[in-house]
Amino acid sequence: MSYSKFNTEISKYLKAQRMIYSGTADESFAQTAQRLADYNRAKDAVFQQWLNNKKFKELISCAHGRWYPYEEFTLPLAQYFADQHDLAHLKFLCEHEIRFRLEDMLNCLKRVKEYDAKLTHSQILEYDLTHLDPEKYHPILELFKWRDKALLRLEVYLELLKDQSDQEYKELIKQLKQKLLQLNIKKSDLKLIKFKLY
């Protein structure tokens, strides 16, 4: 719902600024590039308007819906909350994405165990990947791919938390990262990052 409202505001902005609103089948490369540039400018303007109007719930809803690239939408929103020392909104925004990444990684770990039930976590971590074709599916390659994505989100989150005052919470996130590195994370750990605002 928030995405529809956000997109409607972008459309209104484009029309009000007399920017290119919609494409045509025969538009040139330059016209397409201009239309996309106009859209991004309008998106950034509406994003800033909603921030100024404190439409945090709606912005978080758009971020959670993954309608826009993480780096272009979720990360700037998270940085805003971090700069404002608004830990409640920061938690609500970031924990959602981290939880999904960790769930993906746990699903991959389950497939690795189905592939070879005898593999321990330390054996998985030391698994020789050099002989595997990165273009072909292998459960351990897939596991490391999703683990790296989850690690990246946790590292970014820890950086955002750097100036926040809740030391106990920061320690919890660090422990979560350590468990992930060692593949010792469990589904129950995800209950620790289910902060709700409303």
Side-chain angles (χ1 to χ4, degrees), residues 153-167:
R153 290 292 183 263
L154 280 166
E155 285 165 2
V156 168
Y157 191 40
L158 282 167
E159 185 62 28
L160 290 163
L161 290 171
K162 188 172 61 177
D163 296 327
Q164 307 305 310
S165 60
D166 191 337
Q167 295 300 323

Side-chain angles (χ1 to χ4, degrees), residues 97-98 101-102 104-105 142-156 180:
E97 176 74 17
I98 291 167
R101 297 284 179 181
L102 291 172
D104 290 336
M105 195 281 306
E142 195 71 8
L143 170 67
F144 283 119
K145 180 179 96 175
W146 286 103
R147 185 189 73 154
D148 290 349
K149 288 183 178 193
L151 273 173
L152 182 61
R153 290 292 183 263
L154 280 166
E155 285 165 2
V156 168
L180 178 60

Side-chain angles (χ1 to χ4, degrees), residues 51-171:
L51 271 185
N52 295 343
N53 294 330
K54 300 196 181 307
K55 292 187 171 188
F56 302 147
K57 182 180 176 183
E58 292 87 349
L59 285 165
I60 291 171
S61 176
C62 288
H64 284 178
R66 298 178 178 181
W67 295 106
Y68 300 101
Y70 174 85
E71 291 76 13
E72 294 175 20
F73 196 96
T74 305
L75 189 55
L77 183 57
Q79 189 63 62
Y80 173 85
F81 292 143
D83 292 345
Q84 299 298 313
H85 297 277
D86 185 347
L87 186 57
H89 282 103
L90 184 62
K91 281 182 180 182
F92 188 60
L93 173 66
C94 295
E95 286 183 354
H96 181 271
E97 176 74 17
I98 291 167
R99 214 170 47 251
F100 277 112
R101 297 284 179 181
L102 291 172
E103 284 172 356
D104 290 336
M105 195 281 306
L106 285 168
N107 287 333
C108 288
L109 185 57
K110 184 179 173 185
R111 284 192 287 279
V112 168
K113 295 292 187 179
E114 290 166 358
Y115 168 74
D116 186 346
K118 294 177 187 173
L119 281 173
T120 65
H121 288 173
S122 58
Q123 287 172 323
I124 294 168
L125 288 169
E126 293 167 6
Y127 199 87
D128 180 16
L129 302 173
T130 55
H131 69 283
L132 298 178
D133 181 351
E135 300 298 315
K136 292 186 178 172
Y137 174 82
H138 191 281
I140 294 179
L141 275 177
E142 195 71 8
L143 170 67
F144 283 119
K145 180 179 96 175
W146 286 103
R147 185 189 73 154
D148 290 349
K149 288 183 178 193
L151 273 173
L152 182 61
R153 290 292 183 263
L154 280 166
E155 285 165 2
V156 168
Y157 191 40
L158 282 167
E159 185 62 28
L160 290 163
L161 290 171
K162 188 172 61 177
D163 296 327
Q164 307 305 310
S165 60
D166 191 337
Q167 295 300 323
E168 190 177 320
Y169 180 71
K170 286 191 269 191
E171 193 54 41

